[in-house]
Structures are given as structure tokens and as C-alpha cells.
Amino acid sequence: MCDPSENPSGTGWRGWNTNDAMRPTTPTGDWVDLTWPLSPEVPRLSSFPAPRIERVASIPDQRLNITELSMIVHIGTHVDSPRHFFSDGPALEDVPLRRLMGPGVVWHIDKPLEGTIEPEDLERLRPRVESGDILLIDTGVARHVGTPEYDRHVALSVTGARWLVERQIKMLAMDTATPEIPIHRRPPGFNWPVHRTLLRDGVLIAEQVANAGSLAGSRAEFLFLPLNIFGGDGAPARVLARPIQD
């Protein structure tokens, strides 16, 4: 597989990498909320401003409470659509619902800060990922939220991203702000190769998923519910999961 290169026209989306068939599942536990509460303190890349959440009408001065929200869609727990990097790829309203839900696995990967996840790391993890799965990777970065170390997160290598495309997963979710290398390590002309490798073949990306460690080492059923923003390259999402029988 060739390295993803930037097309000046922003095109290059190649379609969904696997079908949307749903396998039957047997739950073995309750639903777990995997979403960071949205607030000005929500985890985010340091290059992004905090969301602005302002009460524009309040009881008792008014008869109701009304809140105004202004934010970049790629902060907190959110989902990236192929439109994020491919102008010919589907935006959120065109993403089939079955690509946002279904069975998968949760893996914990123990790497040092600024470490890189390689195919050999993925190969040895269990339960094995299956075609059509959603994969959630927990790196433990949540313990660094609010500190400079949060920006020194673990990254997925491009070869690791290719490995996942070849296994035909339909979504990669991580607890980090991005699967790419940390911002301070990016060379001039950085081209977000992990995003491009995954999204061009229809592997959706979810970032800053919370509480992932609570399900590590198990198969799970997921619900990713991003706001249906027209033309959306991404959107904040409520994410739920529950353990299922292996």
C-alpha cells in the first residue's frame, strides 16, 4: 500500500472498507458512558481554543434557562468523518448509522509518553480484532489531562494504521486527542498520514474517548452518536459501550 500523499484537490476517498453487516451480540454487563463531559475544561489539543458555553437566559431573571455553545468540533469526545481530509468523502450526514455502532474490542496498550504503536503491538493483543469491528485503544493518557504531558501522548504509526485497514475495522477510537504524533514532534509539511490512511478507506476515527480502561481486554458493543452536522467533517459525540460475550 502506498503512503497517503496530499492531493491538492483534496480528493482520494476510496470507499467503505467493509460492509455494514451487524453480528448478533450477547451483553454481559451494563452500558458505560465513554464521553468526556463538555465544558471549558474538556480535554483537547492545546492548539484548539476551549469551547465557549454561555448562559444567555437564566432563571429567575427570565422564565427559562438557555445556553449558547460555540466550539471547534474536533475537541472533547468526537468522531471524524472522511470529509475531514477528503473533499470527495462522505460528511457526517452521509455516514451509515451502522458504521457508528456494533461490536468490537477494547485494548489497553502500555507505552511511554511519545511512544508509538506498531503492528507488532497490535498483533499480540487479545481478543483479536475481527472484520467489521470497532476498535477502542486505551493508552492511559487520561491521567495526564490538565498537564503538559497530555500533549505528549502515544501515537499510532502509519504502518499500524495500514494494519488496521487490512483487518477491515470500521472505526478506530482512542483515548488520545489524535492518533498522530504529538504536535511538537511534527516536521515541516506534516500531512496527518494516519488520518489519511484510515479515512481514505472509510475507517472512521473517534478521539478522546473516556473511561476506556473500564472495558480493556474485552469485546464490547458500541454506540457512537455524533451530532448530525450537515457537511460535518467531525462532531462531538456521546459514546456508550457495554461488554459482550466473546
Side-chain angles (χ1 to χ4, degrees), residues 2-178:
C2 298
D3 286 336
S5 59
E6 185 171 7
N7 187 322
S9 67
T11 60
W13 189 67
R14 302 199 300 199
W16 302 114
N17 66 325
T18 185
N19 64 45
D20 299 327
M22 297 281 285
R23 300 188 301 278
T25 60
T26 302
T28 60
D30 293 333
W31 290 102
V32 177
D33 194 340
L34 304 183
T35 315
W36 283 102
L38 192 55
S39 75
E41 290 74 41
V42 71
R44 64 187 189 280
L45 286 172
S46 58
S47 58
F48 288 156
R52 183 177 60 81
I53 303 173
E54 181 180 352
R55 185 64 61 80
V56 295
S58 300
I59 298 171
D61 294 333
Q62 287 86 23
R63 295 187 177 182
L64 73 172
N65 295 315
I66 299 175
T67 302
E68 180 180 338
L69 171 65
S70 176
M71 63 178 287
I72 289 174
V73 297
H74 297 280
I75 61 175
T77 306
H78 66 279
V79 174
D80 293 346
S81 76
R83 186 66 59 85
H84 192 22
F85 282 92
F86 297 98
S87 59
D88 59 344
L92 281 173
E93 72 272 15
D94 297 318
V95 173
L97 290 179
R98 287 193 171 191
R99 301 203 72 85
L100 298 168
M101 62 182 70
V105 296
V106 185
W107 288 342
H108 174 75
I109 297 182
D110 190 16
K111 288 277 184 176
L113 291 174
E114 300 188 19
T116 304
I117 300 170
E118 300 289 354
E120 53 266 30
D121 300 310
L122 303 171
E123 284 278 6
R124 60 173 173 259
L125 292 168
R126 300 293 184 274
R128 288 189 179 274
V129 70
E130 301 174 7
S131 176
D133 270 353
I134 292 169
L135 171 61
L136 171 56
I137 295 178
D138 168 51
T139 69
V141 74
R143 66 182 180 272
H144 298 299
V145 168
T147 74
E149 281 71 29
Y150 187 70
D151 284 338
R152 300 178 58 211
H153 55 80
V154 169
L156 178 67
S157 71
V158 177
T159 52
R162 292 174 186 159
W163 189 94
L164 295 176
V165 171
E166 290 166 1
R167 267 86 190 149
Q168 297 184 314
I169 68 167
K170 65 182 180 183
M171 180 187 292
L172 170 65
M174 294 186 67
D175 61 343
T176 57
T178 174

